[in-house]
Every structure is written in structure tokens, then in C-alpha cells.
Amino acid sequence: MSTIATLRPHQREEQTASVGMVVFLASWAMMFAGLFFSYGFVRSRAGAWPPPGIPVLPIALPALNTAVMLGSSLIFSLGLRELRRGNVRAFQRALSVTIVLGLVFLALQIYVWQSVSQAGLHLNTGLYGSVFYCLTAFHALHVAVGLVILMVVLARSLLGKYSEHNTISVRLCTMFWHFVDVVWILMFVTIYLM
Amino acid sequence: MELQAIHKEPTSFLKRYVFSEDHKYIAKQFLWAGLLFLAFGGILAMAIRWQWAYPGQEVPAVGKLLLPRSGGVITPAAYQSIFTMHGLIMIFFAITPILIGAFGNYTIPLMIGARDMAFPKLNMLSFWFFVVSQVMVLASFGVQLGTAGAGWTTYPPLSTNVGTPGHGQTLVVAAVFVTGVATIMGSVNYVTTVIRFRAPGMTYMRMPLTVWGLWLTAILNVLFVPVLGSAALLLLMDRMMGTQFFIAGAAGGKGDPILFQHLFWIFGHPEVYILILPAWGIVSDMVCFFGRKPAYWYKGSVYAMCAVTILSAVVYGHHMFLTGMNPLLGQGFMLLTLIISVPAEVLFLNWLHTIWKGSIRTTVPMLFALGMIFVFGLGGLTGVFLGTISTDLYLHDTMFVVGHFHFTMAAASFLASFAGIYFWFPKMFGKQMNQTLGKWHFWGSTIFITLVFGGQMIAGYAGQQRRLFDPYQYTFLKHLHPLNTYTSYAGFALGLFQLIFIYNFVASILSGKKAEKNPWQVSTLEWSLPSPPEYHNFDVVPTVIRGPHEYANPDAIKLLGRDWLSQTEILPEAGAVAESEVTAGAAE
Amino acid sequence: MLANRVPRILLGLAAASSAVLTALLATAAPVQELGIGLPRDVSVDGHRIDWLIKITGAFTAILFVIMCVWMALAVVKHNKDHKAEYDHGNAKHQVKFAAALSAIIFFVVDGNLWVNSTIDVSSAFWNFDMVEQQADTLRIEINAHQWAWDFRYGGPDGKFNTQDDIVGMHELRVPVDTPILVHLASTDVIHNFYLPNFRIKQDAMPGMVNKMWFQSKETGEFDIACSQHCGTNHYKMKATLIVMSKEDYAKWAAESSAIASRAYAADDSAAHWGWEWQSK
């Protein structure tokens, strides 16, 4: 058993919250796994992929989005580290950048949807359209919800709620954000690259 | 490991009786909600049995009220809704809240020595999300085209808006999604609480088997309910947003109905283990508590439950043998399905060895536990016929399947639930239930459950398919009318015997005899607390020094004059003071 | 000591007598009035399934009876007046015994199932290559839809969706002692083509073609049923299999094909629901 001297304040509560978050994220991962399974299943049983007549998906913007997500995750992690050291201002700056990058991601994603839709790929353009929009929209929904939570956290931080003695909520948010990032990477690889 | 501080009981009415965050209270909320829908699902079953005994005849008493447009007669359209909702309600809205919602919430913190669940607010939310899903189910019955009707398995294309138009089916699929969210919330709590809040000395291998069953169930819930969520999401998108995941054939789509079956059964097979693991855990403990013997090969039972948990995900294809799957894939699923019967064999042997050479007290919980072993033996053994491809060629989608899963899933979980209710009732409500009425309830339930589900298996063996509004349309099934009628009588009798329980349960809560701290003389931690326990459970977090099944210990008999040792008491040297509890190390 | 052996002797007797009883029950003729018993089997391969069901039934019945006797004895003999034995059951020899017993039961019961199913499925029930290669195989396309079965024969030209196709509903006529190879499809929801007197069934899936084959040893009329919930009239989705002598069938087929040819309407696309036969 650790002695008090080697534990950060509230570390035990943070560990419990983290365990809960891991379990929660495992659940979420399995939901995405169901969707990825569907994607793989549909694709393996289709002849050509994409099916003839379907517009080709862009790669450049989604690749940029991948960089955006990775960057946001990195900066957010650094922000948490600053918070743990007591540098609240630095944490708030990092969190703001993370939120901006998240918004950039969503904006680019909407742009990609618009351009693909103009080229003729819609939600009900066969299985291909259904799967593409379902996966990317479901992920984007998680980014959006995550952003709302991050904005609430930023607001509360500006009100002085978070410090090196109170990092649990922020830690949970970073876990969720990293999860959303990893899901995006998998999605980028399977939908756009493969 | 984390220790929880003693938290004060809230004072406002809403926080005490509506939005309570106390796991013990939430457990009772789940129990009531589950029992209510158990009655609802049971009534739907009575309707099915009525139709098979008296096809085309007006349902007595309530017929004209519930089926006004057909003069009280069950129509084919009404019939398919009845069997669909019977299945969905029993699985998601009856057994789940009782075995997992109620017993999980009540027993886990108490049995591991914790003061509450890891996330009390989340716990409260899980109940209210569940209530929302129940309301959605009820609402679906009032919709114009009726409620869902594609079977609980909801296979597309029948379950798409082409096969089953209307808002009822959509509402029900959405309700299943919402109840899945509630389940996941609860399961996050159970998994985390067991990992983090076991009392000092409560190693995994000293946990009661009830907790093992519930913990493994929670892990399965966490992993596989979301897969059902993804299937439900795709189906809802097909129904509401024009996607084509599952729509094929003349409806014009290039979707694949088999995709749904994969997703559904990747959830569906673990789900049946989700429903039985708590029952196995409870029964494993009961045979020790009332056999007054240690658990025979405790570790073997733990390994068996873990093995079933792991294997449960890879056997699901046996539900799909006849979909035209690759025979090699079918072979693989068959092999794994047969293998999963081995851990269950180990559990059975352990139970049988535990009670052999015991000192069996035929209390009401013990009778229900023995009854569970009996019906699960019957049901489990019939599983091998269905897990084998060649015999499944004949038995697939017959009443044999229905009998199999009713014995294993309904009968076993049902009897185990009652074992749990009669057992923990004194702790939960501080009163005793009437034991004589309990025994009547037991005998009536077990005998008639065996007759009803046995009748189903005989009908299936004769070739009767599932889900038939009127089986006697077929030449090869005409002669089954007497069998089905007698089976229905057994079903009605089963229903009537539950009235004994309803009376006993309610009357005992209102005016039952006051219960002592440990009326069953049992060793697990909750029985060291008053009945009912304080809001914060333990004044002093216990230090555990042994497992939960120390019965018939010769030293205890010699030194203490009783045949059981609690998990915390130190066995004195000969002549010293009987009991002492070590206070926990200072919480940080 | 005999006192210790007595319960084992009793158990042994119980097991032996239950085994004999179960074997008798398993091989007994069906009791139609009580609803007990399999439908009459008129197929060439159905007996394999029947045998496997019955022998597994015997095995499992024996195990179940032993379990019940064990439990009853325990409750009666080792009741609250009996002194419980302090045994954790985790000694090496006990664990080995439990493991060994589980293994034996598994290899006997499940092993028997696995071996026989593998043989039966690969050499008979799903051995479509064998049936495709036989010269006298009769090929039939079946279209399932809410709530009836449509049958299509290729006719004398052996090709489907041509002028000489015989198309019918409600009655499927086939010759006796002839392999009947069925390709199944559905145009709406999932159905399942079920022949109780042949012990087999197969899903009819929209969007794919599934296969099934059977051969009758007897002439007569038998039920065709739907075995997958497909909507309100699932219970009425039935048809009749009429097994005729080879001569009678040949006569019927020739006549029907001639009538169909004369009635053929080239522009009635709905009637040409057949598809090109895929042998693989």
C-alpha cells in the first residue's frame, strides 16, 4: 500500500474514476467495433469496392483531419500535465487550442460531406453511402459531444474549479478525447486508405 | 483499492425516495420495476397458451377489453406482437432488472465490504434510463399499427419499415437501445466497484460466487450490449433515415439481412450467459449456505464461470447454422458450442459434490436453488442437440429450441431469482417472508414450470415450429392439440401459483415478522449488519481473513459451538474470547 | 466399509435401471395420441438424424436421472441431522476426478455428436457436389414470399426461366427414389423451407440462393412448412409435397410442360421469377 507521501492528492479517487472510464470506453469501443464489423462484412461481400458509379473519396482533407486530431490529443495531454503541476493558465491555453482544433476537425468533416454529397454520394446511395455516412457521422457526433464537454470544462476552469488538487474530470476528458482520436485513425485507415 | 468515507443519508424526499443514490434503495427500485414487467410478460405468455389451447376463441375476462377490434379474439397480427413482446419484456425488462439490476446493486457492495457503488450518481441514472425504456415499451402498445411484431430476434427484412411498418416496432427497437444504455451504466459501476472497493483481505478468490457471477455478467454486458446497440442503430437508420443496411430483395436494396444476424447474435449469445451467470453464482453460494459445507472446488467454479464468459462470444454462429453459411465455419461454431458445455459440467459436479455429505437445510431459498439445478440440468443437456449441425437441421426453429431456452433462461433464472428474493428479503426489508407459503410457491412453480416447458420440448420433438398462430393448420401437427392444451393448463397453473408469491411478498413487507441480523446463519459480510443495514452499510470497513464458505469447520464447532465462521472473525485459541473484528487500516 | 458403498450401489442401480428404461423409451414407437414422437421419416438420410437424436437422448437422460437420484439421495440422507463433512474439494485427486469425469462425459456425448454430425453433414445432407453429379437429379427452384411457396422446374430443356418451365404453387410434385436438388430464394423477408418428414430445412434469404436436397423412399403426400417467422400469415405458409412414382411423374411433367409452353407470355416479367442455375 502506498504511503500518503507518494500519492498525489485524490489519486485514489482518480484511479477509481479512471478504471470506470476505461470500462466505459471499452463499451464504446465495442459499439464502434460493431460498426467496423459491419463495414468489413459489407465490403467483403461486395464485388468491387467502391461499387461502380460511386464517386471516389478525397484523401487530402481527411488526412489533414487526422493530423488535427492527433495534434489536439497531444496538446490536451500536455495541458493535463501542466494542470498537475499547478500551471492553470497553461492548462487553459492548451485546452482552448484543443477546442479550436476540434472545431476545425468538425468543419473539415462537414466540408468533406458536402463535397462528396455534391459528387453524388448520399446516405441512401446503396450500402456504400449508408456505411460511409453512418461511420463518419457517428464519430463526428462523439467529437461534437466531446467538444461540448470540453467547453464546459474550460468554463469551469476559468471559474477556478480545477487545480493540481482537482484533476479527475480533466483526466477523464483526456481519456475520452484520446479514444475519439484513436477511433478516427482507425476510420481513416479503413475507409479512406484501404 | 479505495476506501469510501461514511456518507450521510440525504434528507429531501426526492433524494431519499425517487432519485436515491443508495445502492440498496436503487436495488429495490429495480426489483419492483422488474417484478411488474415479469407479471406483464407472464400475462402475454398466458395469451399465447390460450391461443394454442383454444385457437380462435375469445380470451376470457379481459379479451374484449384488450382486443376490442376483434371481439376479444387473438388475431394473427395481435399474436405476433404478443410473442414478440413476451420475449423482449422477459429478457430485457424482467430478468435483467431483477437478477442484475436488483441483486447486482444490492449484493455487490455489501458482499465485498464496500459502503456503496463506485459511482452512485451513475447508478441512480441507470435506473431512471431503465424506467424511460419501460415507458417506451408501454407506449408502443398504444401506437396505431400496434407494437413490434418481428419476434424478439427482430430479424430484418421483416423488422425493417418494409416488413413491419409503423411506429411501434421503431419505438421498441429504440427502447431496447435505451435499456442497453441503462445496462451499460450499471455494469460500469459493477465492474469498477468490484475492482476498486473490495474490503482489505477480500481477494478475488475470497469473494462469494454470487459476486463472481454478477461481476462476470457485468463484464459481458459492458462488452456485448454495445454490439446490440450498433445493430439497433443500423436498424433504426434503415427504418427512419432511408439507409439500406438490411433491406434486400424486392424492396430494392442491396443490404444484407445476415449482417444483422451476426451483430445480433454476437450480442445474443453472450446475453444468455449474462442472464444465467448471476443465477449460477447465487445457486453456488446457496448450496454451501444450506448444505452447511464448503464450496466444493471453489476455484474450479470460478474458472468454469470465467471460461464460459470467454467462450460465450465465439459460439454465436450456432444460431445461424441454416442461413447458408460456409460449412467449415459451421463446423467451427459447432465444436466451440460443444466445448462450452464442459465448464457447465464442472459447475454441476461441484454443486452435486457440495451437497453430498452435507447437512442440508431445506429452507425456501435452498429449495429454489435445488429446483434451479434440476431445470438447468434438463435445459442444459438439451442444448447439445441444438449445437450440433445435423440434429439442428431438424430441430432448428421448432418448439424444442423454445423449450431449451425456457428451461435454461426462463426456468433457471426465474427459480434463482426467487432463491435470491427469499434469501435476501430479511436483509432488504428487515422482515421475514412466510416460509410455508414459500414452500407452496416453490413446489407449484417447479412442477408446473417443468410441465409447461417439457410440453414445449415434446411439441418441438414432434416437429412443431416456433411462433405459429395456429399450428393445427398443418397435417403433421394436428394431433398435437391435446398436448398443447395440457401444456397450457400447466402454464395457467404456473401463473396462478405466482399469486401466492405476490401475496406473500407484499404482505411480508407490510406486516411480516421482524428479521434478525442473521436468520440463515450465513457467513458472508452482509449478514454481520443489521436488517436492514444502515445507509452507509459498514460502521467499520471489515478486514476479511477467509473465504465465504467456511462451514463444518471442526475447530469452529469445537471452539465456538457452531458450524460456521464469518469472513472476518478470528478463530480464538482454545479458551479465548469468541469474536473480535480487526479495524481497517486508516483510510487515506 | 459397506456403509460407504451403499449409496454408491444405489446410485449404480439407479443408473443402470434408468439406462435400460431410457433405451427402451428412446427406441419405442411414437405415441401419436400424446403428441410424443417424431414425424414419419420417408427420406433416405433422415434416419441418421433420428439415430443421433435418440442415442444422445439416451445419454443425456441417463446423466439427468443420475443427477436427480443424487440430489434426492442427498436431500433425504444428508439432511440437517447428518453431520456435514468438512471438505473443500480442492485436493489434487478430487480435482483430477472432476476434470476426468467432465472430460469423459464430453468425449462420449459431445464427441459422438460431433463425429456423427460431421460425417452426416459432409457426406449426405450438405453434399451438394454428389447430388449435382448424379444423372437423375431433379432440379427445382423455389421462391419464397409472403405467404406462399412458388416452385419452378426447368422443363425438358433443363434451363430455368425458359418457355417450357413448369411453375406451380401449393403443390410440389416429385418422383420417388430420385434426388431432388432445391435452390431457395426469397423476394421479401427471410423464410425457411421445412420438410418434417425428411428432417431437413433451410433458410430462404432475400439476396442470396441457398441449397437443400432430399430424396423420398415412399410415394405419398407430405407437409411443406415455413420455419422462420415471416409475418402475420407465417402459420399458413404451407404447401404439399406430392411424391409420385417415376412413371406418373414423367407423365405429369410432360403434360405440364406442354401446357406451360402454350400459355407462356414473353412479356409477363413478373412470371419469369426464375434465375440461372448455379452449380457451384
Side-chain angles (χ1 to χ4, degrees):
Chain A
M1 231 152 125
S2 312
T3 60
I4 297 174
T6 57
L7 279 180
R8 268 183 282 105
H10 301 286
Q11 185 167 1
R12 285 199 187 280
E13 285 105 307
E14 192 172 307
Q15 282 170 347
T16 300
S18 299
V19 169
M21 195 61 181
V22 166
V23 176
F24 201 61
L25 289 176
S27 222
W28 235 241
M30 286 302 286
M31 172 123 195
F32 276 101
L35 294 177
F36 276 107
F37 177 92
S38 305
Y39 177 79
F41 187 86
V42 157
R43 185 164 167 172
S44 68
R45 287 166 81 93
W49 193 267
I54 303 283
V56 176
L57 294 173
I59 294 197
L61 279 180
L64 177 59
N65 253 349
T66 309
V68 165
M69 280 305 293
L70 277 168
S72 71
S73 268
L74 182 62
I75 291 172
F76 198 8
S77 293
L78 292 172
L80 175 63
R81 202 174 63 177
E82 291 304 313
L83 182 67
R84 284 204 174 119
R85 288 183 186 153
N87 304 335
V88 180
R89 282 264 166 266
F91 159 67
Q92 286 165 346
R93 279 197 298 270
L95 180 52
S96 308
V97 173
T98 305
I99 291 173
V100 166
L101 286 176
L103 288 167
V104 166
F105 176 90
L106 281 182
L108 285 177
Q109 180 64 268
I110 292 173
Y111 181 77
V112 167
W113 284 335
Q114 274 177 340
S115 67
V116 151
S117 173
Q118 267 172 357
L121 180 65
H122 306 289
L123 183 62
N124 44 22
T125 311
L127 264 175
Y128 189 87
S130 301
V131 165
F132 170 75
Y133 279 102
C134 178
L135 276 169
T136 51
F138 203 59
H139 174 263
L141 181 66
H142 283 70
V143 172
V145 169
L147 279 176
V148 168
I149 296 175
L150 289 186
M151 289 192 243
V152 168
V153 167
L154 181 59
R156 284 164 63 91
S157 176
L158 290 170
L159 292 171
K161 296 275 182 194
Y162 302 115
S163 67
E164 68 267 35
H165 301 290
N166 183 5
T167 58
I168 297 179
S169 301
V170 178
R171 164 97 173 106
L172 296 181
C173 288
T174 59
M175 291 171 78
F176 182 74
W177 198 253
H178 295 329
F179 170 74
V180 170
D181 190 6
V182 168
V183 170
W184 171 254
I185 293 171
L186 284 171
M187 214 169 268
F188 176 66
V189 168
T190 49
I191 295 185
Y192 290 98
L193 289 186
M194 280 171 63
Chain B
M1 197 215 75
E2 191 188 336
L3 292 173
Q4 295 147 313
I6 294 182
H7 41 288
K8 276 208 326 266
E9 206 172 341
T11 44
S12 85
F13 176 85
L14 280 180
K15 288 222 86 153
R16 278 173 77 100
Y17 298 113
V18 182
F19 299 112
S20 173
E21 293 172 19
D22 171 25
H23 71 99
K24 301 185 292 298
Y25 190 81
I26 296 173
K28 288 182 207 169
Q29 289 177 308
F30 271 115
L31 185 61
W32 282 109
L35 285 174
L36 191 67
F37 269 63
L38 182 66
F40 188 12
I43 290 170
L44 291 172
M46 299 297 125
I48 298 175
R49 293 296 349 165
W50 173 267
Q51 171 62 21
W52 284 359
Y54 307 110
Q57 288 187 43
E58 184 188 328
V59 177
V62 292
K64 287 229 168 61
L65 180 69
L66 297 174
L67 299 155
R69 270 177 277 175
S70 54
V73 173
I74 300 173
T75 59
Y79 179 76
Q80 60 177 11
S81 289
I82 290 172
F83 69 70
T84 298
M85 295 314 288
H86 164 74
L88 282 168
I89 285 175
M90 287 307 209
I91 291 173
F92 291 112
F93 302 98
I95 297 289
T96 298
I98 295 176
L99 263 186
I100 303 172
F103 289 125
N105 260 309
Y106 199 78
T107 64
I108 290 179
L110 286 172
M111 283 180 133
I112 63 173
R115 290 196 163 119
D116 206 322
M117 287 286 183
F119 311 116
K121 277 198 175 55
L122 188 67
N123 207 10
M124 179 273 291
L125 279 175
S126 82
F127 173 70
W128 284 104
F129 266 75
F130 176 70
V131 170
V132 167
S133 70
Q134 285 189 313
V135 168
M136 289 167 81
V137 163
L138 289 175
S140 73
F141 279 90
V143 163
Q144 191 180 25
L145 283 175
T147 180
W152 93 274
T153 44
T154 320
Y155 282 1
L158 184 62
S159 59
T160 62
N161 53 343
V162 177
T164 308
H167 298 302
Q169 180 77 47
T170 309
L171 250 181
V172 168
V173 176
V176 168
F177 190 90
V178 172
T179 204
V181 171
T183 300
I184 292 171
M185 286 175 164
S187 302
V188 167
N189 244 326
Y190 296 5
V191 174
T192 309
T193 305
V194 169
I195 292 176
R196 295 287 295 166
F197 291 103
R198 282 167 293 119
M202 174 68 78
T203 60
Y204 282 103
M205 290 306 186
R206 284 182 182 159
M207 296 198 308
L209 289 162
T210 301
V211 177
W212 268 108
L214 286 161
W215 189 59
L216 292 171
T217 282
I219 291 174
L220 283 178
N221 264 325
V222 160
L223 292 177
F224 294 107
V225 168
V227 180
L228 176 68
S230 71
L233 179 74
L234 297 183
L235 183 58
L236 283 171
M237 287 179 75
D238 270 11
R239 287 186 72 86
M240 291 163 53
M241 294 168 69
T243 51
Q244 293 178 8
F245 292 106
F246 308 126
I247 300 182
K254 287 289 183 70
D256 199 335
I258 293 198
L259 171 61
F260 182 87
Q261 291 192 31
H262 280 284
L263 289 173
F264 183 83
W265 289 115
I266 290 175
F267 154 76
H269 198 84
E271 169 70 2
V272 312
Y273 292 106
I274 286 169
L275 295 173
I276 203 62
L277 276 163
W280 283 350
I282 291 175
V283 165
S284 302
D285 279 341
M286 297 288 156
V287 293
C288 304
F289 295 164
F290 297 109
R292 308 308 286 178
K293 260 187 78 190
Y296 192 92
W297 197 23
Y298 169 92
K299 276 201 179 142
S301 294
V302 171
Y303 295 152
M305 289 201 277
C306 289
V308 164
T309 303
I310 294 170
L311 283 171
S312 66
V314 294
V315 300
Y316 77 91
H318 61 242
H319 300 272
M320 299 167 61
F321 279 150
L322 300 190
T323 56
M325 68 161 51
N326 184 324
L328 266 174
L329 197 58
Q331 284 283 96
F333 278 121
M334 172 169 71
L335 183 63
L336 289 163
T337 304
L338 293 174
I339 289 176
I340 207 172
S341 66
V342 178
E345 284 176 49
V346 169
L347 267 176
F348 264 88
L349 283 174
N350 283 350
W351 294 336
L352 293 175
H353 272 121
T354 301
I355 61 176
W356 189 255
K357 296 239 184 87
S359 179
I360 297 175
R361 303 177 176 182
T362 51
T363 59
V364 176
M366 181 59 162
L367 287 173
F368 274 103
L370 292 173
M372 187 277 197
I373 298 176
F374 175 81
V375 297
F376 193 81
L378 247 182
L381 285 170
T382 54
V384 295
F385 297 86
L386 300 169
T388 303
I389 299 179
S390 65
T391 45
D392 191 51
L393 284 175
Y394 174 64
L395 294 168
H396 171 79
D397 214 70
T398 61
M399 290 303 294
F400 193 89
V401 178
V402 177
H404 163 73
F405 68 68
H406 275 88
F407 268 120
T408 49
M409 208 160 55
S413 304
F414 190 73
L415 295 178
S417 296
F418 285 119
I421 292 176
Y422 283 98
F423 181 70
W424 277 296
F425 188 93
K427 190 56 60 183
M428 288 175 94
F429 297 102
K431 311 249 173 76
Q432 268 283 18
M433 285 180 83
N434 183 309
Q435 301 302 301
T436 309
L437 288 179
K439 293 194 180 181
W440 277 95
H441 179 218
F442 162 73
W443 284 109
S445 297
T446 305
I447 289 173
F448 289 111
I449 250 182
T450 307
L451 289 175
V452 179
F453 302 148
Q456 289 177 341
M457 301 207 74
I458 296 175
Y461 186 70
Q464 180 176 334
Q465 309 99 281
R466 293 171 74 164
R467 299 162 164 170
L468 292 180
F469 171 71
D470 182 357
Y472 320 114
Q473 295 275 316
Y474 290 101
T475 320
F476 78 106
L477 297 179
K478 276 194 161 61
H479 69 289
L480 294 182
H481 196 169
L483 169 72
N484 279 329
T485 307
Y486 288 124
T487 308
S488 293
Y489 293 159
F492 301 148
L494 176 65
L496 283 174
F497 266 91
Q498 304 320 303
L499 297 175
I500 301 180
F501 168 76
I502 295 173
Y503 168 75
N504 196 0
F505 188 68
V506 174
S508 304
I509 289 178
L510 293 175
S511 57
K513 222 168 45 160
K514 192 156 160 21
E516 334 153 357
K517 199 165 72 164
N518 194 353
W520 308 113
Q521 292 169 344
V522 156
S523 54
T524 45
L525 294 177
E526 74 272 29
W527 301 100
S528 66
L529 298 174
S531 299
E534 301 277 339
Y535 189 81
H536 56 272
N537 299 347
F538 300 93
D539 287 336
V540 172
V541 174
T543 297
V544 171
I545 56 174
R546 65 176 64 84
H549 306 119
E550 268 309 286
Y551 298 92
N553 183 318
D555 293 332
I557 295 175
K558 198 167 62 167
L559 298 168
L560 299 172
R562 54 176 150 87
D563 69 343
W564 63 279
L565 276 171
S566 84
Q567 289 193 260
T568 53
E569 59 184 324
I570 296 178
L571 201 56
E573 303 302 319
V577 168
E579 239 183 73
S580 72
E581 275 179 29
V582 174
T583 54
E588 278 158 308
Chain C
M1 300 258 284
L2 192 63
N4 288 334
R5 296 239 171 95
V6 167
R8 293 217 190 102
I9 293 174
L10 270 171
L11 274 175
L13 269 173
S17 51
S18 67
V20 172
L21 218 89
T22 325
L24 283 172
L25 277 171
T27 49
V31 186
Q32 286 283 309
E33 314 81 61
L34 289 178
I36 301 177
L38 298 164
R40 200 157 67 88
D41 173 32
V42 299
S43 69
V44 293
D45 288 315
H47 65 94
R48 299 169 180 251
I49 292 177
D50 289 5
W51 176 84
L52 194 51
I53 288 180
K54 287 181 178 164
I55 192 151
T56 307
F59 283 148
T60 51
I62 291 170
L63 288 172
F64 184 66
V65 169
I66 292 178
M67 184 190 89
C68 292
V69 170
W70 185 321
M71 282 170 65
L73 271 177
V75 169
V76 167
K77 272 179 53 86
H78 302 152
N79 57 17
K80 59 178 168 32
D81 300 321
H82 175 269
K83 186 159 153 15
E85 192 182 70
Y86 183 61
D87 180 10
H88 282 95
N90 48 16
K92 263 213 175 68
H93 74 276
Q94 290 172 315
V95 170
K96 280 197 198 145
F97 177 74
L101 192 55
S102 304
I104 291 173
I105 295 173
F106 173 71
F107 282 111
V108 170
V109 182
D110 297 297
N112 180 55
L113 278 167
W114 190 81
V115 166
N116 281 290
S117 171
T118 304
I119 294 174
D120 291 344
V121 166
S122 60
S123 68
F125 297 109
W126 287 353
N127 190 353
F128 298 105
D129 286 343
M130 169 187 83
V131 180
E132 280 281 10
Q133 282 157 23
Q134 277 179 260
D136 57 344
T137 296
L138 174 62
R139 291 170 174 68
I140 299 181
E141 290 184 349
I142 300 185
N143 182 39
H145 60 90
Q146 288 172 324
W147 287 282
W149 302 96
D150 297 338
F151 310 113
R152 176 181 292 269
Y153 305 70
D157 71 350
K159 287 196 174 45
F160 288 87
N161 243 4
T162 56
Q163 188 165 356
D164 62 357
D165 283 4
I166 307 166
V167 180
M169 272 173 94
H170 305 311
E171 282 179 4
L172 177 61
R173 290 170 185 270
V174 297
V176 74
D177 296 324
T178 310
I180 315 294
L181 181 52
V182 167
H183 279 196
L184 278 166
S186 163
T187 48
D188 42 46
V189 301
I190 305 176
H191 303 269
N192 183 298
F193 185 73
Y194 170 37
L195 297 174
N197 301 97
F198 294 76
R199 304 291 188 265
I200 49 170
K201 52 172 73 95
Q202 185 71 237
D203 279 350
M205 282 275 180
M208 59 189 273
V209 174
N210 276 346
K211 301 187 272 206
M212 193 174 98
W213 80 273
F214 62 95
Q215 178 171 329
S216 183
K217 294 187 304 203
E218 299 177 24
T219 56
E221 292 192 6
F222 309 104
D223 283 294
I224 296 172
C226 179
S227 199
Q228 176 63 45
H229 175 52
C230 55
T232 45
N233 288 354
H234 164 59
Y235 72 104
K236 285 205 288 199
M237 188 164 164
K238 55 182 192 159
T240 310
L241 177 71
I242 303 176
V243 184
M244 313 162 80
S245 70
K246 291 191 191 177
E247 303 77 40
D248 286 344
Y249 173 78
K251 206 159 75 120
W252 170 85
E255 281 173 10
S256 305
S257 180
I259 295 172
S261 282
R262 285 200 296 275
Y264 183 77
D267 50 358
D268 184 0
S269 57
H272 312 317
W273 53 259
W275 58 90
E276 199 184 313
W277 188 272
Q278 304 286 338
S279 297
K280 265 282 151 246

